[in-house]
Each structure stands twice: as structure tokens, then as C-alpha cells.
Amino acid sequence: MPEGWESVVAAYGISAITLGAWFWIILRKLQRQGADAEGVTRG
Amino acid sequence: MQPVFAPRTSRARVSHRLARVLALVLVPLTLVLAFAWAPMATIGLVGGEAQDDFPQKIFYLHVPIAFAAYLCFAAGAWNGMLYLLKGREDYDVRSYAGVHSGLVFGTLVLLTGAIWAKAAWGVWWNWGDRQLLVFLTLYLFYGAYFVLRFSIEPGRAREKASAVYAVVGVALVPLSFLAIRIADTLIHPIVLTSDGDRLTGPMWGTFLVGVAGFFALAIVMLQLEVAGKLRASRGWVTDDEAPDTLAAVDAATETPSEAVAGA
């Protein structure tokens, strides 16, 4: 493995986990609300 | 039941879906290009030979995420200004979503930057680097936005104070970008210069794909945050009729006129 690979894995891993968790949280929130992703209501 | 706000135009719906597709394609593509196409950067000389700089791969993640954070803060300020001009509540929510999203991306900028700094400089943080300090100031300034916002009772006063704060803070965005160029200490790498590239063609290509991808991702997250916060701000929580996926959500937006007609 190239030198410093741990840093690269850590940076990409933390970013993937954070963004994935954020997306999942918002999606769950929207699903609970029954809202759409574009702000248009179902009336 | 009243709609949250007027239905989107078909053009806006297309642009939103385009952002989703671009984010879905370009962000993973950035990873592929960063490791499979962009050449390994080199640093210094070790025994007369250049040494591979593998941690430089973090650049393709760290800088596009920083640009995404700037975009979100700018969106927060823009909508804050629109709120001050027009006084519509949804602009306040959009401004709030912009600051919120910017802070999430900003957190990642600080984390990935610290990891890169440890690998490149041997320290997690360098207090002598002006760009780091300006970005930290920007981050803490917008962090304090939440203290201000939630210390005021919901209503016009809170919305106005939040909007003014969001607008004022965006002045730190160009300063953050320029700080590296006016800094006395040049430990922070400057790669975006007009007098000669420090990136090769494939490096530029990967970087630009990354910027486009994370811009698209920021737009997607912003629109999701806005949708969620608008609903929450109006108390429109309907746990018993939740669509399962975004596809179902999209299907519901195919006929927005019906949604309004039913209001």
C-alpha cells in the first residue's frame, strides 16, 4: 500500500458515512412527513 | 388543506431531477477518476527522487466539499436577502436550510482537512495558516446562527434576525477563498492560480468533475432540507401516509396542479 493510505481511507470514509447518514436522515424525515422532495404538496 | 407553496414549474422539476442524476453519477465518478486516472502527485526529494504523495488524493474530496459549503452558505445568504426584500416565510426556511447544509459540508471540510494536514504537515491544525482561520471563523459564525435563531421566539423577529445574520456572514466566503492568496505563510497549497497550473490535465479534469458533482449533491441536499423544513414549519407531519421512496415522491409531483386544486 502507498504511504499515507490510512489518511485517504479515513478522509473518504468519514465523508461517505457523514453524507450517507445525512441523506438517510432527511429521507426518513420526508417519508414520515409524506412530503415530496421538491416541496410540492399532495394537497 | 393549503399547499406549502406554489407548485414548481416543469423547468424547475427537470433541473431538480438533473441535479439528482448529476450527483449520483459525478460523485462516484470523482472517486474513480481520483484513484484510476489522476496521476500520483509528488512531493520533495527523497534520496534525489521525488516521493509519491498519496494523501494528495484527499484534495479531490476536500476542495469540492469546501466549494459545496460555500455554495450552501451563499444560498442561505441569497434567500435571506430575498426574505428581507419580500418577507415570505419560505425564503426564511430556505435560508435556514442553506446555513444548515453549509455547516454539514463545512464540518466535512474541517475533518478531511485535518486528516490531510496530519498526513502532509504532521499536525492536525496549523494556527498560522490564514485560510484555515478564516474558514474556521466562517464555520463558527454560521454555527452561532443557530444560537441566535433558536434564542428568539418563532415569528417575524426571528426570521428577520436570521436573514440579516445569514447575509452578513456570506462576506466571509470570498475572504476565505482569497485568504490563501494574501497570506504571509504559504503552507496551505495554492493550486488554483492564473500564472501556471500546479495540476496536470487529468488532475484538473478530476477536480472539476468533483466540483460539479458536489455542487449537484449540495443542490440535492438543499432541496431535500427545504422540503423537510417547510413541511415541519407548517406542522404537516403525516406519519400514516408516508411514501416509501423518492420515486413515489416524484410520482406525487407529476401532477402538481392536482395537488393545488385539492387544496
Side-chain angles (χ1 to χ4, degrees):
Chain A
M1 297 293 277
E3 191 175 346
W5 66 270
E6 303 95 335
S7 305
V8 177
V9 170
Y12 279 84
I14 286 173
S15 300
I17 290 169
T18 305
L19 292 173
W22 184 24
F23 186 77
W24 183 80
I25 289 168
I26 301 178
L27 215 56
R28 287 287 299 163
K29 179 181 176 183
L30 284 168
Q31 287 175 340
R32 279 199 310 273
Q33 292 175 336
D36 61 81
E38 298 177 25
V40 181
T41 77
R42 290 181 297 156
Chain B
M1 188 178 285
Q2 294 297 313
V4 173
F5 55 92
R8 298 280 184 189
T9 63
S10 59
R11 184 179 168 186
R13 284 202 306 277
V14 168
S15 68
H16 284 180
R17 288 177 194 174
L18 182 64
R20 286 184 209 164
V21 171
L22 286 176
L24 204 61
V25 171
L26 295 181
V27 172
L29 182 62
T30 303
L31 267 65
V32 173
L33 294 179
F35 292 98
W37 188 45
M40 189 89 79
T42 54
I43 50 170
L45 294 174
V46 178
E49 293 183 2
Q51 184 185 21
D52 286 342
D53 182 16
F54 191 62
Q56 186 268 342
K57 298 289 184 189
I58 298 173
F59 165 78
Y60 304 110
L61 181 74
H62 174 70
V63 182
I65 288 179
F67 283 10
Y70 292 150
L71 179 72
C72 291
F73 288 137
W78 174 250
N79 283 288
M81 194 171 69
L82 288 177
Y83 173 82
L84 293 174
L85 292 174
K86 300 184 178 180
R88 278 172 43 190
E89 186 194 2
D90 62 292
Y91 286 126
D92 170 64
V93 174
R94 290 168 194 278
S95 178
Y96 172 36
V99 174
H100 182 158
S101 303
L103 274 180
V104 177
F105 283 114
T107 302
L108 281 180
V109 173
L110 293 175
L111 286 173
T112 57
I115 292 169
W116 190 10
K118 181 65 177 171
W121 307 336
V123 292
W124 295 104
W125 184 266
N126 177 14
W127 288 106
D129 189 302
R130 210 170 285 179
Q131 188 180 29
L132 293 185
L133 293 183
V134 173
F135 189 86
L136 183 65
T137 304
L138 174 72
Y139 181 81
L140 293 177
F141 183 90
Y142 276 117
Y145 170 95
F146 292 88
V147 178
L148 171 75
R149 185 177 180 86
F150 293 107
S151 64
I152 304 174
E153 289 294 317
R156 287 288 176 189
R158 178 164 94 171
E159 292 166 3
K160 283 182 182 174
S162 300
V164 169
Y165 198 89
V167 171
V168 170
V170 82
L172 290 168
V173 170
L175 183 60
S176 172
F177 190 75
L178 292 173
I180 188 173
R181 285 154 178 79
I182 58 177
D184 296 327
T185 59
L186 294 177
I187 192 169
H188 208 116
I190 307 174
V191 293
L192 306 176
T193 64
S194 57
D195 55 343
D197 286 347
R198 295 180 62 177
L199 300 179
T200 63
M203 288 172 151
W204 266 113
T206 304
F207 170 67
L208 293 176
V209 169
V211 170
F214 278 96
F215 266 23
L217 182 64
I219 291 169
V220 171
M221 299 311 283
L222 272 174
Q223 73 184 81
L224 291 173
E225 283 280 3
V226 166
K229 291 187 192 309
L230 273 177
R231 280 281 175 135
S233 71
R234 300 291 176 89
W236 281 28
V237 179
T238 54
D239 287 308
D240 56 338
E241 53 175 359
D244 290 332
T245 64
L246 269 182
V249 157
D250 279 342
T253 65
E254 289 295 335
T255 55
S257 58
E258 291 178 8
V260 175

